[in-house]
Structure formats: structure tokens, C-alpha cells
Amino acid sequence: MNPLVIPDSPRRWDCLSLGEVMLRLDPGENRIHTARHFQVWEGGGEYNVARGLRRCFGLRTAIATALADNPIGRLVEDLILQGGVDTSLLKWVKYDGVGREVRNGLNFTERGFGVRAAVGCSDRGLTAVSQLNPGDFDWTAIFGNENATKWFHTGGIFAALSVSTAQVAAEAMDAAHLHQTPVSYDLNYRDSLWKSIGGKLKAQEVNRELVRKVDLLLGNEEDFSAMLGVELKGVAEDFAELPIAAYEEMLREVAVLYPNLKLVASTLRTASTASRNAWGAIALYEDKIVHVPQRAIDIFDRVGGGDSFASGLIYGLLARRPIDWALRCGVAHGALAMTTPGDTSTATLAEVERLIKGESARISR
């Protein structure tokens, strides 16, 4: 495996993400089907990475996406702006009045507690971003000298929205490589997105092609199995125990199948209850295994933990820190993100660094 090379020339952004941004409706401590009020957040698998890099790590980030131009879209825009992510690449699509042709995605998510697992119910058909086509973004201008970014991130959620979004992702990846920009891709398998368009077989067909254009590949054991057909051997269906040797074998198999990859990383999660997980990570870099052992953490809202892991890892790479530090940064940031509500991280760099060092959760004042 070749090492990752981070561009050192001046660039407009540190990271650019391509993906959907949805309006999350959160019933708080209640259930979706019995709620009488919801709190709103913005969120999306690819977007969350850019926002984490901006708000926690202070980097300059942008999101390439599309929204229907109505009050819901403008609310999502306002939430993105509060997160500090550059919206100059946001495409507004004319709204037809009722959503027959185009609309914005809604994501209802309840957090779960104890033996009650978290539940998500998305309403995202015909969204503006799902109708993006190759050529809608001028990637030459975006990745070229006029703008440029040190890192490009997208993922399997965006690629699953439609046939054309997978094509847009491929187009963007090709342009990124032409301009020496590293590409990360989070497999992020969602059964709800793939089951009506061909299921796992279609997911594998699409993702096997996209992964050939990737430098950093992220996922968990289900993602690698569902999206690439690479199985994790020797584990029970409940994933109560995660044998590290099996993960190492899985990552090495992925690296052999896709020699373009420079880094492959997997989160390690054992969910004993919705409120208590064991959390860690493992990665393969330059043919060497790096492992952050699982530790028990308390969960307030697990959604977005994997995205925050990705942003912490990418931050470590962009900061040119050693790979073991970057992986620990991802684990720490993901753990902190799961202590607060919403998809996105509210952690600070100082909090991440304290957790990396193993400091306690004593009050800071």
C-alpha cells in the first residue's frame, strides 16, 4: 500500500463533501409514532464529516449538494450556515409547490434507550440532490486552481440515492485525482436505500466500481459485507465478540481486491444496549495494522458517531499526525459525538485531545 500524500499547496478548502443534507426531526426522549413535538437538526452521512471538520477541528469545509427552494430547504441552509460549512456549491432547484417533482429529505430518528434500539424513518424520495446528474457541477473549476481542496469526501448513501448520483460521485472522484486530491469514501450501507433498487447485489455492483477510485475507505463489518461482498469470518450474528484477527483478515482482503486503496479503516462497535456500547477501531495502512481497542462508552444519541469517527481520522491525516494518533482521534471524536443529540458533533478539539490522552470526565471550570 502506498502512503497517503496530503497536498501542500494553498487551497480554498481543507475538505469538500458531496452528499445529501436532510432535515432531521428528533422526538427527544419520546417515540416517533407517539411524539407531539420534534426538535430539528440538519444531517447527512457525507455532510456530517465536513461539519465535524469545521466545528470541532476548525478547518475550512464545503458541501456540494442540492435543495428544493422552499422554506424547508431554506431552514436546512440556515442550519448548515450555523455549522460554518461553506454553501457556495449548494444548488437550488425550483420547487413545484407540492413536491410531485422535487422536494427535500426528512429524517425522523428516535435515539433508543437501554433495550430499545434507535429507530430511523426517512422520507427522501424525489429529493433535489437525488436528481443531480453528471455535468451539474463544474468539477474542473472546483478542484482546479480557481478553488481546490486538500481532501474530497463522499459515500455510499449519496451513491444509493439514484443511478445518476453514483455517476456524479464517480465524476467527482475522477476530477479529484486529476488535481492530486485524496478521496475518502464511507460505505455506509443502508438497506432502506438499496432494497427497492436491487438490494445488496446492486449495492455491490455500484460500490465495487466506485471503490476503485478511492484512497481512504471507511466502513464497518456490515458495510464491507453488504457493499463489497467481503465477509467478516468467525463472528456471531449479534457481534457480541469482535475477533481482531478476523478484522485484520477482512481489511487485508479488501486491500488485495482494491490495490488503489492507501488506507482502510473499520469502526468496532458492540452494542450491549442502545445506551451502552463498546467502541474502538482498526485500520490497515502501509500494510500494517493499527488498532484502538474497544472501551465501554455511554450513548446518548448514536447517530453520526461513524461520521464523526471519519472526520476525526481525516483531521489527523490532514494535520500530518501519525496514523495511530489519527485513528485514536477518530475514535475519540466519534465517542464524544454520541454523547449529545443530533447527527453532528458539538465536541471541541480540546475535549478530543483530553480523551485521546485518557483523561477523566471530571468537571472543567
Side-chain angles (χ1 to χ4, degrees):
M1 300 174 78
N2 294 320
L4 273 164
V5 177
I6 307 299
D8 56 10
S9 59
R11 301 195 172 195
R12 178 175 177 180
W13 303 294
D14 296 301
C15 179
L16 165 64
S17 285
L18 169 66
E20 181 167 36
V21 188
M22 303 175 71
L23 185 69
R24 173 175 170 179
L25 291 99
D26 184 343
E29 296 176 352
N30 298 310
R31 306 294 304 274
I32 295 169
H33 64 278
T34 57
R36 296 298 178 266
H37 63 271
F38 293 87
Q39 188 168 6
V40 297
W41 318 87
E42 89 283 21
E46 297 84 10
Y47 163 79
N48 295 342
V49 174
R51 193 186 189 283
L53 284 166
R54 175 65 187 92
R55 294 297 285 170
C56 179
F57 300 105
L59 301 187
R60 300 159 301 151
T61 65
I63 180 69
T65 192
L67 292 169
D69 194 354
N70 62 20
I72 295 173
R74 292 294 172 175
L75 172 57
V76 174
E77 178 198 31
D78 189 62
L79 293 165
I80 296 171
L81 290 170
Q82 290 179 51
V85 178
D86 187 344
T87 59
S88 60
L89 299 179
L90 193 166
K91 290 188 174 296
W92 290 104
V93 179
K94 186 177 179 180
Y95 186 57
D96 60 20
V98 294
R100 289 191 182 95
E101 297 176 359
V102 65
R103 49 199 297 273
N104 295 302
L106 305 178
N107 184 24
F108 295 81
T109 304
E110 59 185 60
R111 302 171 195 163
F113 184 82
V115 296
R116 176 171 59 84
V119 174
C121 179
S122 62
D123 181 16
R124 66 197 309 174
L126 300 176
T127 56
V129 71
S130 72
Q131 299 180 52
L132 287 172
N133 287 289
D136 283 347
F137 290 102
D138 185 350
W139 296 116
T140 299
I142 291 169
F143 287 108
N145 294 333
E146 295 179 32
N147 296 290
T149 180
K150 291 184 178 179
W151 195 277
F152 175 66
H153 179 75
T154 190
I157 294 176
F158 177 73
L161 296 179
S162 66
V163 172
S164 63
T165 56
Q167 296 169 346
V168 173
E171 178 187 51
M173 291 174 178
D174 289 339
H177 283 303
L178 284 175
H179 294 90
Q180 292 77 53
T181 303
V183 173
S184 58
Y185 188 83
D186 194 332
L187 289 166
N188 253 337
Y189 176 70
R190 297 289 184 271
D191 181 68
S192 59
L193 288 174
W194 290 102
K195 65 181 179 181
S196 64
I197 57 172
K200 291 182 180 180
L201 289 178
K202 185 62 177 179
Q204 291 172 18
E205 176 189 330
V206 170
N207 282 274
R208 284 169 174 164
E209 290 303 313
L210 289 175
V211 170
R212 300 187 192 284
K213 304 174 185 291
V214 171
D215 298 295
L216 163 58
L217 183 64
L218 300 144
N220 61 29
E221 64 286 331
E222 182 185 18
D223 297 329
F224 288 106
S225 172
M227 300 287 250
L228 300 179
V230 178
E231 301 289 342
L232 179 67
K233 302 178 179 67
V235 294
E237 290 186 5
D238 60 0
F239 296 103
E241 295 184 11
L242 303 182
I244 296 307
Y247 274 86
E248 177 176 349
E249 182 181 349
M250 179 183 72
L251 296 186
R252 290 192 182 281
E253 183 178 349
V254 171
V256 169
L257 290 171
Y258 304 95
N260 53 287
L261 293 173
K262 299 175 179 65
L263 172 59
V264 191
S266 174
T267 53
L268 302 171
R269 185 197 294 269
T270 303
S272 52
T273 71
S275 313
R276 187 77 167 167
N277 288 185
W279 173 251
I282 187 170
L284 178 65
Y285 183 62
E286 294 186 318
D287 299 318
K288 297 177 182 178
I289 288 292
V290 185
H291 176 214
V292 177
Q294 288 179 289
R295 58 177 288 187
I297 61 171
D298 294 309
I299 304 291
F300 187 81
D301 182 348
R302 68 167 281 166
V303 178
D307 304 327
S308 292
F309 165 77
S311 59
L313 174 60
I314 292 168
Y315 169 74
L317 297 169
L318 287 171
R320 294 177 168 80
R321 301 296 295 267
I323 185 61
D324 60 334
W325 190 94
L327 194 66
R328 285 185 284 125
C329 182
V331 171
H333 189 224
L336 287 166
M338 292 185 284
T339 65
T340 53
D343 286 30
T344 56
S345 166
T346 61
T348 67
L349 177 56
E351 289 172 335
V352 172
E353 290 176 333
R354 280 200 297 271
L355 191 54
I356 291 173
K357 293 175 182 176
E359 295 182 14
S360 71
R362 286 177 58 85
I363 188 170
S364 176
R365 60 186 175 186

